Amino acid sequence: MTHKVTLIPGDGIGPEVIQATVRILEATGVKFEWESFAAGAEAFEKYKEYIPKELNDSIERTRVGLKGPVTTPIGGGFSSINVELRKRFELFANFRPIRNLPHIPTRYPGVDLIVVRENTEGLYSGIEHEVVPGVVESLKIITEKASTRVSRFAFEYARKNKRKKIHSIHKANIMKLSDGLFLRCSRTVSKEYPEITYGEHIVDNTCMQLVMNPYQYDILLMENLYGDILSDLCAGLVGGLGLVPGANFGHECAIFEAVHGSAPDIAGKNIANPTAVLRSALLMLRHLGETDAALKIRSAIDEVYRDRSKLTRDVGGTAGTSEFADAIIQAMETQSTAVAASDQP
Ligand code: ATP
């Protein structure tokens, strides 16, 4: 079977890490038909649209996307393409598993956390205006509908995957109405899942707790902005942004993308670590039912990190993005040969 997937290479380090990932995915033997599109500033130059209609139609058709980061201009310019895609396709749950890779030494070994971030509203609704010169207003939108559906996603995931605890993260002592509503919704949903321990922590305290003892958490559920910030913090616990994968799930479609942004400081130099996008692609393979290919890549990642000679700089190596990808492909080939050899009579 051939899987049709919408591919958004993005910009900055996006094209490099996506190209490396696509090469590895194709080396598994799974068949893909990629529908590749630009988005953001690059798309605007060509199509006068930040999200071209062709891209939009492709996602509606394939319902699965693999995406690199797209730069959002700071302090002006067009609104975030990442946020717009999540809103447009109602990809309401952002799912970010935070786990150590074997053989990467970090301050905290054995972390196993999941960040579930509401993806469609909060302060990322982008409703801002200047009230009078020198005074601006930015609206934080929290709805019962979005808070309930993302809470349900987190609890369903916990139930299916035998996770034990969910903490809803908030600042409802200050934002009594907005974060108060988010909390009420997660609390209500929690009652339907008595086997899962439910707790509530204030976001600033959570930051400290995560740095002091990340092991106390299991699943962290939160609105958009807290999810963005805590995801980067959690990435730091397990070796950095080059490693942590992500997925955006809706009822109809899913788009898989790393937690990191376009990292302009290292773009175009063949030094970015493609592991985060590659691990996002593993989530995609599982979503597509291609579990064997996912396992194959996963053990190749383990092998390359164990060997250490082809790692990128962010994790203490000297290899380039493409050399790392070559090493993963080589490790997959060695595995296949080993399996074939062990099948010999
Ligand atoms: P955004 O807010 O757009 O999501 P971010 O805050 O996640 O962006 P990044 O653009 O990802 O920020 O970059 C933060 C830093 O992390 C960069 O300076 C870069 O050096 C490092 N970094 C990010 N991704 C990678 C990667 N794949 N490989 C190596 N280093 C990375």
Side-chain angles (χ1 to χ4, degrees):
M1 166 181 190
T2 301
H3 299 286
K4 285 192 184 187
V5 175
T6 304
L7 192 68
I8 307 169
D11 52 50
I13 58 171
E16 299 162 64
V17 288
I18 287 282
Q19 195 207 23
T21 300
V22 165
R23 277 207 294 129
I24 295 165
L25 287 172
E26 291 188 338
T28 62
V30 174
K31 298 267 172 288
F32 293 97
E33 194 179 313
W34 305 105
E35 299 188 5
S36 182
F37 299 94
E42 191 193 343
F44 193 78
E45 266 176 36
K46 267 195 228 156
Y47 303 100
K48 298 285 165 262
E49 279 178 303
Y50 292 108
I51 299 179
K53 185 176 178 312
E54 289 83 347
L55 165 56
N56 195 80
D57 294 350
S58 171
I59 297 175
E60 275 179 5
R61 231 181 5 257
T62 64
R63 294 165 182 240
V64 182
L66 179 63
K67 177 179 165 299
V70 178
T71 305
T72 308
I74 295 175
F78 61 89
S79 347
S80 164
I81 300 306
N82 314 312
V83 173
E84 177 55 30
L85 284 171
R86 294 168 190 167
K87 285 202 278 193
R88 194 179 287 194
F89 294 100
E90 290 212 63
L91 303 169
F92 58 85
N94 190 313
F95 174 82
R96 293 171 163 180
I98 313 284
R99 290 192 193 106
N100 294 83
L101 274 177
H103 318 296
I104 289 279
T106 61
R107 271 173 220 269
Y108 306 95
V111 173
D112 182 7
L113 282 175
I114 293 170
V115 174
V116 176
R117 162 184 175 190
E118 202 293 319
N119 232 358
T120 59
E121 54 179 32
L123 275 167
Y124 289 48
S125 302
I127 308 172
E128 292 189 312
H129 67 277
E130 187 175 59
V131 182
V132 289
V135 182
V136 295
E137 190 172 42
S138 185
L139 298 184
K140 169 160 169 164
I141 308 294
I142 298 287
T143 64
E144 189 177 328
K145 179 182 164 200
S147 307
T148 302
R149 70 185 172 183
V150 73
S151 300
R152 194 167 296 291
F153 174 92
F155 278 93
E156 275 301 306
Y157 178 86
R159 178 171 277 174
K160 282 197 193 112
N161 294 279
K162 310 234 174 322
R163 307 290 299 214
K164 305 238 163 347
K165 265 190 287 188
I166 294 187
H167 280 87
S168 190
I169 308 303
H170 66 94
K171 190 77 188 173
N173 48 339
I174 305 296
M175 281 161 276
K176 293 178 194 296
L177 284 185
S178 53
D179 282 17
L181 175 57
F182 187 87
L183 268 192
R184 263 206 320 283
C185 294
S186 39
R187 208 176 287 157
T188 305
V189 172
S190 76
K191 302 231 158 49
E192 296 170 36
Y193 299 81
E195 77 278 23
I196 296 158
T197 308
Y198 172 72
E200 296 171 353
H201 275 183
I202 293 180
V203 61
D204 39 356
N205 177 31
T206 309
C207 293
M208 183 191 73
Q209 297 292 341
L210 276 165
V211 171
M212 292 185 74
N213 174 19
Y215 307 108
Q216 66 187 292
Y217 293 117
D218 185 354
I219 295 181
L220 297 169
L221 164 66
M222 65 202 88
E223 59 85 90
N224 216 335
L225 175 66
Y226 309 151
D228 195 1
I229 297 170
L230 286 197
S231 297
D232 275 28
L233 191 158
C234 289
L237 300 175
V238 296
L241 282 170
L243 302 177
V244 177
N248 304 287
F249 290 110
H251 291 307
E252 304 288 327
C253 332
I255 296 185
F256 298 83
E257 64 180 333
V259 170
H260 65 71
S262 58
D265 54 330
I266 54 167
K269 297 181 180 159
N270 188 39
I271 58 175
N273 188 348
T275 305
V277 170
L278 183 58
R279 291 173 90 196
S280 309
L282 295 193
L283 297 174
M284 180 182 84
L285 285 173
R286 293 219 162 85
H287 178 75
L288 295 171
E290 297 287 358
T291 320
D292 288 351
L295 288 173
K296 204 166 160 181
I297 296 179
R298 213 185 123 177
S299 53
I301 295 175
D302 286 356
E303 174 52 29
V304 171
Y305 275 90
R306 193 193 56 73
D307 173 70
R308 298 200 65 79
S309 68
K310 295 285 188 251
L311 297 185
T312 49
R313 289 167 195 216
D314 56 310
V315 284
T318 51
T321 312
S322 46
E323 275 175 278
F324 173 84
D326 292 342
I328 297 279
I329 293 168
Q330 169 96 52
M332 288 197 297
E333 280 165 8
T334 316
Q335 271 171 32
S336 318
T337 324
V339 172
S342 66
D343 283 349
Q344 298 292 321

